[in-house]
Amino acid sequence: MSTVSHSSEHNILPLIVEPEALQAHLGDDQLLIIDVPANGDSYRQGHVPGAIFLDFRYLMRGEGPVPNDVPPVEFLSKLFSALGLTRDTHVVAYDDEGGGWAARLLWTLELIGHTRYSYLNGGIHAWRDAGLEESTEQTAPTPSDYHAEILNPHALITCDEIKQKLDDKQFAIWDARSKAEYDGERGNNKHLGHIPGAVNMDWVNAMDPKRALRIRDYAELITELQAMGLTPEMEVATHCQSHHRSSFTWLVGKALGFNMRGYAGSWGEWGNRDDTPIEK
């Protein structure tokens, strides 16, 4: 895809940015800091100065048989125009839950070929942990005219593609749900269990609770993932119930140098169809 630049040399900040590094860039014209909290009150209680608020529900289609799927491009064009995104904007996303919704936003940007983005490691918890100043003033976005199209479809993987690849030794599935969901003991879908061959690491196990929910030590994570059978040269699909938790595992895998793809349909689709193979 010549239209998609995967180089980060033009990026102001690295993919995973620490609070102090972000603080040094506050006020940069090209920077758009977006708070996507799981708890709507979090933004009002305190946010990174200059951050704008995004309701996470806008990152999902919200209707049809797979409501957690990607919204239509017409909607994404309106959304990113309302947020003030331009081709030159560098987006920094964060949230109040260790990275799920922030990563869903970044994964959506990846899908539309906007590769200038970063995740504030640990989100608002890490910002507070670093003792940095917060704001309670609402920042209004400066609207733009952004035309979104799916320029990087590889960021996404579909149900049918996964079914075709199940026997491929170079393909793996990282199930980011809880062990109880993976084992088929919990869930509210028509069918419970997991995709055949999928391996399970709960998304919260990729966060470090002792370091304000920052991503865990990379070397440890790589070692654990390799022990589970996931290696950087494989193509790795990741999912949860709605591609919220698995957006974070997509981001973590990407930060570790893995070839990650997000399954937006997730178990909400797989577990409610009758033509999908399931293991317990």
Side-chain angles (χ1 to χ4, degrees), residues 256-276:
L256 298 176
F258 284 67
N259 173 16
M260 302 297 298
R261 299 180 72 185
Y263 174 29
S266 279
W267 200 258
E269 177 180 30
W270 195 277
N272 285 323
R273 281 172 60 154
D274 293 323
D275 61 347
T276 45

Side-chain angles (χ1 to χ4, degrees), residues 197-243:
V199 295
N200 179 223
M201 182 196 279
D202 191 326
W203 73 308
V204 294
N205 293 346
M207 301 169 200
D208 188 346
K210 295 190 184 71
R211 296 179 57 244
L213 302 186
R214 285 175 178 85
I215 297 170
R216 276 180 51 210
D217 179 78
Y218 285 15
E220 282 180 23
L221 277 172
I222 288 176
T223 304
E224 284 177 32
L225 291 168
Q226 286 184 332
M228 286 162 46
L230 305 185
T231 58
E233 61 276 6
M234 296 172 107
E235 179 183 31
V236 181
T238 188
H239 79 88
C240 55
Q241 171 69 25
S242 64
H243 194 41

Side-chain angles (χ1 to χ4, degrees), residues 8 14 26 36 79 82 88 92 118 132 143 145 199 203 217 239 247 257 265:
S8 54
L26 291 184
V36 204
L79 175 66
D88 300 323
V92 178
S118 303
L132 301 176
D145 183 15
V199 295
W203 73 308
D217 179 78
H239 79 88
S247 288

Side-chain angles (χ1 to χ4, degrees), residues 69-241:
D69 215 340
V70 184
V73 284
E74 302 76 28
F75 180 82
L76 291 177
S77 294
K78 284 187 188 136
L79 175 66
F80 289 121
S81 295
L83 293 172
L85 190 66
T86 71
R87 295 280 164 212
D88 300 323
T89 306
H90 188 101
V91 174
V92 178
Y94 73 91
D95 58 41
D96 61 338
E97 54 153 16
W101 289 120
R104 175 74 187 227
L105 169 60
L106 299 182
W107 175 79
T108 306
L109 290 173
E110 177 75 19
L111 198 57
I112 63 171
H114 189 97
T115 56
R116 295 168 183 255
Y117 61 73
S118 303
Y119 168 60
L120 171 58
N121 200 7
I124 196 65
H125 298 291
W127 188 265
R128 287 177 183 150
D129 186 57
L132 301 176
E133 190 186 346
E134 290 174 66
S135 169
T136 51
E137 282 173 51
Q138 191 166 350
T139 306
T142 308
S144 60
D145 183 15
Y146 194 91
H147 177 63
E149 43 188 331
I150 308 295
L151 292 175
N152 185 14
H154 184 79
L156 177 83
I157 190 163
T158 65
C159 179
D160 291 338
E161 270 185 286
I162 291 175
K163 282 164 71 176
Q164 285 162 9
K165 287 176 181 275
L166 286 180
D167 297 325
D168 182 347
K169 295 280 177 277
Q170 283 303 303
F171 177 72
I173 300 165
W174 177 350
D175 186 330
R177 297 176 301 162
S178 66
K179 186 177 185 301
E181 289 168 279
Y182 176 84
D183 289 342
E185 292 162 7
R186 272 190 57 204
N188 51 4
N189 309 275
K190 192 170 177 185
H191 309 286
L192 302 181
H194 58 263
I195 301 175
V199 295
N200 179 223
M201 182 196 279
D202 191 326
W203 73 308
V204 294
N205 293 346
M207 301 169 200
D208 188 346
K210 295 190 184 71
R211 296 179 57 244
L213 302 186
R214 285 175 178 85
I215 297 170
R216 276 180 51 210
D217 179 78
Y218 285 15
E220 282 180 23
L221 277 172
I222 288 176
T223 304
E224 284 177 32
L225 291 168
Q226 286 184 332
M228 286 162 46
L230 305 185
T231 58
E233 61 276 6
M234 296 172 107
E235 179 183 31
V236 181
T238 188
H239 79 88
C240 55
Q241 171 69 25

